[in-house]
Amino acid sequence: MQDRHFKHWPMGVPRQFPLPETSLYYNLEVAAARYARKTAIFYYGGKLSYAELRAQADTLAGYLQQDCGLRRGDRVLLYMQNSPQFIIAYYAILRADAMVVPVNPMNLTGELAHYVADAGAKLAICGQELLPRIAPLLGPQGLARVICANYADYIDPGTDLPLPDFFRLPAPAPAPGIVGWREALAAARVPGPHLAGPDDLAALPYTSGTTGNPKGCMHTHRTLMATVALAGVWSRGSADDVTLAVVPFFHVTGMQMLMNGSIYLGAGIVVMTRWDRELALKLIVRHQVTSWINIPTMVIDLFASPNFKSDSLASLRGIAGGGAAMPEAVAKRLFELTGLEFCEGYGLTETAAPTHSNHPSRPKRQCLGIPICNTDARVIDPDTLKELGSGETGEIISSGPQVFTGYWNSPDATRAAFIELDGKRFFRTGDLGRYDEEGYFFIVDRLKRMINASGFKVWPAEVEAMMYAHPDIQEACIIGARDAYRGETVKAVVALKAASRGVVRAGDIIEWCKGHMAAYKCPQIVEFVDALPKSATGKVMWRALQEQESAQAGSTA
C-alpha cells in the first residue's frame, strides 16, 4: 500500500470505517423516522419533508410494482433534470428492488435508444420537457411505459425566484403508454416487502470509452453506500448541513455526494434544475447553504456576477468539486474572500464518485488529493503493470469498497478493467498520474482517449460513430481543442465526400450534430481536410492530429 499520506491524515477521520450492511433505500427510511418533519428538499420556494419524501417514494414504488409489473432486478430509465421527482423516482425504484439507469437529460432519441436496448429497460420516468425525445422509443421492441413529470408541481406558485421557461409547458396530450406523475401517485398503491440487500444491483450509470457505445457500470447497494458513508465521515457531515444541488443527479457526483449523501445524513437539499448564477446567489443566502459541490466553471461564473458580494458565500463551511482542475487564480480569490480552500477530489463513474479527495485541513491546489478512508490507490506502469514509486508517472489504479462490480453485458471489458496486486482487485482508471513525497496524487495525462469539457466527459469514438451517419462526411476524427472557459472543447477534423467539398460548410456540420447528439458532445470547431492521416494498417492517426492541435494552441498561447 502507498501509505505516505497517512503522515498527513486529517485528525478525527478514521483510516478504516465500518460500512452499513443495508440497502441504499434504508437510508431514506432512517432519515424519515429520525427527521420526519425536517425539510429534505427546497425547490423554488416549495418544500418537501423527509416523511413526505419517503411516503411519495413508497407510493410510486407500489405503482411501479402493481401497475407497471416491475420486478426485482429490472432496469428503469431515469431521464430527468434535477428535481424533487428525480429523488422520489430514484428511491421508488430502489424501494421496488429494481435498478436505476440514470440518463443525461441532454441526450437525444438516438442516444437513448442504446440505453433502452442495452439495459433491457421496459419502463422510463422522464421530465415533461424530455417526453418528445423518449416517446418514440415506446413499442414492442422498446419501452412499454413512460411516466412523465412536470417539475412545476413541486414549486411554490407564488415564489419570487426565477423559473426556467420549460416549467410552463402545457401538459402532454394523452397517449398510449404515457402516464402522468400525478396519476401514478394518485393510485395510492402500497409496495410489497423491500427485499434488496447490499449485494443487489442498485444503479447502472453509463460511461463511454474507446470503443464508442456507452457501457453500463454495475453498482450494488454496497458500492453506492461506500462513497455515501465515507464522504460523510470525511467531511464530518451532519443533519445540520444544507447543500446546494446543481451538479446533475444523473452524474455520480451529484447522485452520490448531493442526493444520496444528504439523505444518508438527513441533511437539507436545495435543488436547482438549471444553473443560474443569480439564482444560486439568492439560494445560498436564503437557505444559508453550508456545503457546495460544483464544477470550477460555476465558481468562475458566480464571481463574474455584478451581484456577487464579499459576503455572498458567508454561510459556506465547505466548497469542493472535481471533473476539471480549479484555476489557481480563482482558488486564490475564493480563499481571500471566504477563507475556504476549494477542495478538489477525484473519481469516476466506475467508482461511484471519489476515491481521492483533498481534506479542508490540508489541501493542495490542482491536486486530486489523497486516497479516502478504506481506499488503496497506486501508480503502475501501464504496459508492464509494475508498481511505480513517488514522482514516477504511470496509470492510477484504485481498490476500495466503492469500485463497481463490472460492465453490464461486457465481460471482456470487465476483465480488461481490473488487475490483481498484492492480493487485491484494482480498477485501472486509464488516467496517467503520479503521487508526491507526501502521498498526494496528481493527474498528468490520459491513457484513455477522452475530452473534458467543463467536467462533461466526451468520448471521441462515440461522437465519430454518430458523425459517420452524416450524408456528406467521408471521414471524421474528434480531438480536443483548448477553450478559455470550458478548459477543453470538441473539435472535428472532417474529410467530406468529393461531391460535397466546397458546398458543405463548417456551420452545416455543427447544426447537424446539434440535432443528433447531446449539446456537450457537439463539435464547436470543424476543420476540413482532404484526407485523415492513417497508419500503415489503415487506422486513423488521431494522436498525430491531437498533438498538432496542442502544438498550435501552445504557439498561440
Side-chain angles (χ1 to χ4, degrees):
M1 173 180 280
Q2 188 285 104
D3 59 0
R4 295 167 184 264
H5 58 292
F6 286 155
K7 295 179 181 178
H8 312 286
W9 192 258
M11 290 183 62
V13 177
R15 296 180 188 177
Q16 295 288 324
F17 182 76
L19 297 173
E21 294 274 342
T22 60
S23 76
L24 201 64
Y25 166 82
Y26 185 67
N27 293 340
L28 176 57
E29 188 176 340
V30 170
R34 286 177 171 169
Y35 312 112
R37 290 175 292 179
K38 184 176 184 291
T39 299
I41 301 170
F42 300 88
Y43 190 62
Y44 296 91
K47 295 180 180 180
L48 203 66
S49 71
Y50 267 104
E52 291 169 328
L53 174 57
R54 183 195 174 188
Q56 293 192 26
D58 286 0
T59 299
L60 183 58
Y63 183 84
L64 297 178
Q65 290 175 328
Q66 297 177 37
D67 295 71
C68 302
L70 195 67
R71 298 291 179 261
R72 186 174 184 177
D74 286 350
R75 280 75 61 201
V76 182
L77 244 65
L78 186 48
Y79 182 48
M80 279 187 174
Q81 300 189 64
N82 286 13
S83 57
Q85 290 100 318
F86 187 110
I87 302 173
I88 294 165
Y90 187 99
Y91 277 84
I93 295 166
L94 297 184
R95 175 63 180 81
D97 302 323
M99 292 171 61
V100 179
V101 183
V103 180
N104 188 335
M106 298 175 74
N107 282 336
L108 304 184
T109 304
E111 297 162 308
L112 293 170
H114 170 71
Y115 300 119
V116 171
D118 189 68
K122 296 299 179 184
L123 176 65
I125 305 176
C126 77
Q128 182 174 302
E129 83 290 5
L130 302 174
L131 182 60
R133 297 182 187 174
I134 200 166
L137 301 179
L138 281 162
Q141 304 304 315
L143 296 169
R145 190 169 302 188
V146 174
I147 297 173
C148 178
N150 183 352
Y151 309 132
D153 287 348
Y154 284 77
I155 69 170
D156 175 3
T159 184
D160 63 333
L161 299 172
L163 303 174
D165 291 340
F166 53 81
F167 275 33
R168 301 178 179 87
L169 287 173
I178 298 173
V179 179
W181 178 272
R182 288 181 176 181
E183 179 185 342
L185 290 185
R189 304 300 189 205
V190 177
H194 180 48
L195 303 175
D199 295 314
D200 279 81
L201 289 171
L204 193 67
Y206 273 74
T207 184
S208 269
T210 57
T211 56
N213 280 331
K215 300 186 295 294
C217 297
M218 296 187 290
H219 276 288
T220 63
H221 290 266
R222 187 186 300 277
T223 61
L224 294 181
M225 184 72 82
T227 46
V228 166
L230 295 178
V233 172
W234 186 261
S235 63
R236 299 182 184 178
S238 72
D240 186 46
D241 291 347
V242 179
T243 189
L244 181 63
V246 63
V247 173
F249 290 152
F250 81 86
H251 189 281
V252 288
T253 299
M255 181 176 77
Q256 290 288 86
M257 301 298 96
L258 306 181
M259 182 179 68
N260 291 336
S262 295
I263 289 173
Y264 174 80
L265 296 171
I269 313 169
V270 181
V271 177
M272 288 181 67
T273 294
R274 286 277 181 90
W275 169 249
D276 178 329
R277 70 186 186 190
E278 306 308 325
L279 175 59
L281 285 170
K282 289 181 180 180
L283 293 176
I284 289 170
V285 173
R286 182 169 298 186
H287 298 295
Q288 289 296 285
V289 170
T290 62
S291 171
W292 184 26
I293 294 176
N294 54 59
I295 56 175
T297 51
M298 292 177 181
V299 180
I300 295 168
D301 197 31
L302 206 67
F303 283 169
S305 168
N307 296 311
F308 183 84
K309 301 175 182 177
S310 59
D311 62 349
S312 292
L313 305 179
S315 64
L316 289 182
R317 297 197 290 257
I319 182 168
M326 170 62 81
E328 175 72 21
V330 180
K332 183 178 179 181
R333 185 184 178 197
L334 177 67
F335 181 75
E336 290 171 348
L337 288 172
T338 67
L340 297 173
E341 288 281 8
F342 187 85
C343 291
E344 296 184 39
Y346 170 73
L348 300 168
T349 305
E350 289 89 343
T351 63
T355 52
H356 298 66
S357 183
N358 281 278
H359 193 271
S361 63
R362 197 176 185 272
K364 293 189 179 185
R365 292 177 183 172
Q366 297 187 317
C367 169
L368 306 182
I370 60 177
I372 64 172
C373 328
N374 299 36
T375 304
D376 186 3
R378 319 269 185 102
V379 174
I380 62 168
D381 183 300
D383 297 318
T384 66
L385 307 184
K386 176 185 175 183
E387 187 173 354
L388 302 177
S390 170
E392 296 183 282
T393 296
E395 183 178 3
I396 299 172
I397 59 174
S398 298
S399 177
Q402 69 275 64
V403 176
F404 76 140
T405 61
Y407 294 111
W408 179 260
N409 290 334
S410 299
D412 291 341
T414 299
R415 280 190 291 271
F418 291 95
I419 65 167
E420 187 169 312
L421 187 64
D422 295 339
K424 293 183 181 180
R425 188 176 186 242
F426 281 85
F427 169 62
R428 300 186 64 173
T429 66
D431 285 323
L432 293 176
R434 60 177 175 81
Y435 59 85
D436 64 15
E437 287 294 330
E438 295 182 328
Y440 283 72
F441 281 68
F442 296 82
I443 282 281
V444 175
D445 201 351
R446 301 182 191 116
L447 195 60
K448 293 177 181 176
R449 189 182 168 204
M450 186 267 288
I451 298 166
N452 188 346
S454 292
F456 284 103
K457 306 300 188 290
V458 180
W459 302 91
E462 181 187 1
V463 179
E464 288 165 1
M466 289 187 280
M467 289 188 70
Y468 271 97
H470 191 292
D472 297 303
I473 291 178
Q474 182 70 36
E475 298 177 309
C477 181
I478 297 297
I479 58 176
R482 186 175 295 178
D483 184 276
Y485 181 67
R486 302 174 82 200
E488 280 187 295
T489 195
V490 183
K491 177 177 177 178
V493 183
V494 173
L496 294 172
K497 293 177 180 177
S500 304
R501 294 176 185 175
V503 179
V504 175
R505 300 167 301 172
D508 298 330
I509 300 293
I510 293 171
E511 283 304 309
W512 183 90
C513 289
K514 288 179 180 178
H516 289 78
M517 63 187 77
Y520 71 93
K521 300 176 189 175
C522 286
Q524 304 299 305
I525 306 167
V526 173
E527 177 186 340
F528 291 123
V529 296
D530 292 334
L532 297 177
K534 297 184 180 67
S535 67
T537 59
K539 292 183 178 180
V540 174
M541 298 171 66
W542 66 268
R543 192 176 295 278
L545 291 171
Q546 185 64 71
E547 289 173 352
Q548 179 181 333
E549 176 68 25
S550 300
Q552 290 174 350
S555 65
T556 57

